[in-house]
Amino acid sequence: MLSITTGVPQGSILGPLLFIIYITDFAQASKMFNFLIYADDTTLSSTLNVFSDNTHDRNLESLINEELDKINDWLKINKLSLNVEKKMIFQKKKKNTEILNLKIDNINIDQVKEFNFLGVIIDTNLNWKNHAEQISKACSKKIGILNKLKHILPLDIKKDIL
């Protein structure tokens, strides 16, 4: 078994502060991406126009991949890893955007139609239908449980629930 040589005990008071100090220059890794960091969840965002304006006769896909490599290099230098899961391109409903083959560490980043971003389901057209369905299912489940318990629970607990 390998011993841990870096890190902070989980749940420690200093953990969040040290993490913020540790990644404070992360956003400097790329000038083309915006970084949204919430706890240890990081989202990169940009517009294709930012990259298109800087192509100078270069391939858009290769330019984006170069920026992703810069971010990956920063992570490696700082002994962090990236969970390469998905990319999403937001677009107008009728507009077809070319499929970009984006990679980090030679691992393809799959393009998805929707993903869960901090508890909110977002799709490529910014349609809220799937998120509303998820909320509806969760509420329906809870209402069903409460309905079954209404004959079992004492009146004071039922008042607290409502």
Side-chain angles (χ1 to χ4, degrees):
M1 184 189 251
L2 297 172
S3 63
I4 297 173
T5 58
T6 59
V8 176
Q10 186 172 354
S12 73
I13 294 171
L14 283 177
L17 176 62
L18 291 174
F19 182 73
I20 290 168
I21 292 168
Y22 192 66
I23 65 159
T24 192
D25 65 334
F26 181 45
Q28 305 305 314
S30 171
K31 302 284 186 232
M32 303 255 191
F33 282 107
N34 297 310
F35 294 79
L36 178 61
I37 302 171
Y38 181 79
D40 65 347
D41 191 4
T42 301
T43 300
L44 306 176
S45 67
S46 188
T47 63
L48 291 178
N49 291 344
V50 168
F51 289 97
S52 297
D53 293 345
N54 290 290
T55 54
H56 306 294
D57 298 327
R58 292 170 57 203
N59 182 341
L60 178 65
E61 184 177 287
S62 65
L63 184 62
I64 296 172
N65 280 322
E66 284 176 24
E67 286 298 307
L68 291 172
D69 286 340
K70 290 178 187 176
I71 293 166
N72 193 45
D73 290 343
W74 185 95
L75 292 167
K76 284 180 180 177
I77 289 167
N78 288 280
K79 298 183 178 169
L80 295 171
S81 61
L82 189 62
N83 185 4
V84 181
E85 287 185 12
K86 54 207 165 215
K87 71 176 184 271
M88 179 175 284
I89 298 175
F90 298 105
Q91 59 192 22
K92 294 180 182 175
K93 272 189 175 182
K94 295 183 180 180
K95 186 176 180 182
N96 288 331
T97 306
E98 71 175 281
I99 302 296
L100 298 172
N101 184 24
L102 303 182
K103 298 179 180 187
I104 293 181
D105 256 355
N106 289 323
I107 299 170
N108 285 328
I109 305 172
D110 295 328
Q111 184 166 339
V112 296
K113 299 280 185 197
E114 67 179 37
F115 73 99
N116 188 323
F117 177 70
L118 301 176
V120 178
I121 297 176
I122 300 174
D123 73 5
T124 56
N125 297 314
L126 293 176
N127 181 327
W128 299 103
K129 181 181 176 191
N130 294 328
H131 182 70
E133 285 176 5
Q134 178 194 21
I135 299 296
S136 177
K137 285 179 187 176
C139 289
S140 180
K141 242 185 222 182
K142 291 175 183 171
I143 289 170
I145 291 169
L146 289 174
N147 191 35
K148 290 178 182 177
L149 294 175
K150 72 181 177 188
H151 300 296
I152 300 168
L153 294 175
L155 182 60
D156 58 325
I157 293 178
K158 286 193 269 188
K159 286 181 183 177
D160 287 343
I161 292 173
L162 295 175

